[in-house]
Amino acid sequence: ETAPLRARQSRVSQTFLVEQSRLAAQQSMFELVVLEDSAHLAPAEFGKPRVAAATDVILEKYANKVVPDVGLCIALFDILEVGESQLHQGSAHQHARIRFRLVIFRPFHGEILVGTILSCDQAGVRLSLGFFDEIYVPKELLIEDTSWSSEEELWVWNATDTDQLFFDLDNTARFRVAQVSFRRNAAAPPPASKKERLEPAMQITAAMDKEGLGLLTWWPADDEEEGGGEEGGEDG
């Protein structure tokens, strides 16, 4: 790395971390959401305590699934209320209304997150949070002076005239949430062919278009720079 790049990295790291802390204090990518739904309890469930039976029904329906226009269910927080059970003609099931709270993943617009780069193609970059993989950075939202390397099949940021920084796979990267969108037709049929990809139920459009965003190794903290010595430089 050249001296101009190191100076740029140090300056950006300080200001960016302050801004990131301010945003994190305002909101969180996880939130508690109150929902209400009907539970259909099979006869085999009748002997269970009502809350335990309702918990099983809610977990089966919502755990690790996207709730349209709400977000990804991470966990059931608690059951608030289980209504009176009713029997409907022609059905052996008991039916009850349940109010409950879910831990939902839905990051806010502008939130800064850190994920792992899964893949790159000429359309952009795909990232993962480990529990959620539908994160896409279109090429238009990559940092200025970024270009596609046909040889490496990776995007590369031409940070200076002599410094090229690649969006290497399996590396951690910092990104900004630009948009959270949901599939309009939740019951869409599967693709007609294996080459077609079903539109995800929930998708994050992200950006790495500002200094401070991108691979974490591009923007080392001050203590890493001071303690790293020459180990953090390019191999000669």
Side-chain angles (χ1 to χ4, degrees):
E1 296 176 354
T2 62
L5 178 59
R6 285 196 296 271
R8 183 179 185 182
Q9 289 171 323
S10 179
R11 171 179 55 80
V12 171
S13 293
Q14 295 178 36
T15 57
F16 188 85
L17 289 174
V18 170
E19 177 65 11
Q20 186 179 7
S21 298
R22 183 186 67 80
L23 287 172
Q26 291 179 345
Q27 288 179 286
S28 168
M29 62 180 171
F30 299 107
E31 59 182 292
L32 283 180
V33 174
V34 177
L35 294 177
E36 186 173 320
D37 202 348
S38 294
H40 308 291
L41 307 179
E45 305 285 319
F46 291 173
K48 287 186 178 180
R50 287 165 54 81
V51 171
T55 296
D56 291 343
V57 170
I58 296 303
L59 287 176
E60 181 178 358
K61 183 172 182 178
Y62 289 94
N64 300 315
K65 295 182 176 66
V66 171
V67 182
D69 297 319
V70 177
L72 174 67
C73 174
I74 301 299
L76 171 64
F77 188 76
D78 59 7
I79 301 290
L80 298 176
E81 181 183 356
V82 180
E84 292 296 325
S85 298
Q86 298 179 351
L87 290 174
H88 295 173
Q89 186 175 1
S91 173
H93 289 66
Q94 289 184 354
H95 305 268
R97 298 297 294 177
I98 304 173
R99 290 184 69 249
F100 53 95
R101 289 191 291 181
L102 298 178
V103 179
I104 291 290
F105 166 69
R106 182 175 181 171
F108 62 88
H109 179 269
E111 185 167 7
I112 305 299
L113 301 176
V114 174
T116 301
I117 296 180
L118 289 182
S119 62
C120 290
D121 59 27
Q122 294 187 50
V125 178
R126 183 182 180 192
L127 300 104
S128 171
L129 291 174
F131 62 90
F132 185 78
D133 297 341
E134 305 295 347
I135 306 169
Y136 300 90
V137 184
K139 61 183 180 180
E140 297 81 10
L141 293 180
L142 293 173
I143 193 167
E144 188 177 3
D145 296 323
T146 295
S147 58
W148 174 253
S149 169
S150 299
E151 181 179 355
E152 299 290 340
E153 294 190 335
L154 294 171
W155 287 94
V156 54
W157 176 34
N158 304 293
T160 69
D161 292 338
T162 56
D163 292 290
Q164 288 189 319
L165 304 178
F166 286 84
F167 288 76
D168 292 312
L169 304 187
D170 300 321
N171 275 254
T172 50
R174 187 182 291 116
F175 61 91
R176 173 174 53 83
V177 176
Q179 182 182 18
V180 179
S181 56
F182 297 89
R183 187 172 66 222
R184 291 300 90 193
N185 182 8
S193 69
K194 293 182 179 180
K195 292 183 179 180
E196 296 181 37
R197 188 169 182 273
L198 179 66
E199 181 186 355
M202 174 180 169
Q203 178 175 311
I204 294 174
T205 301
M208 292 191 284
D209 56 351
K210 304 290 184 183
E211 291 184 332
L213 303 177
L215 269 64
L216 298 190
T217 53
W218 298 353
W219 314 107
D222 289 343
D223 55 348
E224 292 178 359
E225 287 187 332
E226 294 171 1
E230 296 181 356
E231 292 182 3
E234 296 178 352
D235 293 334

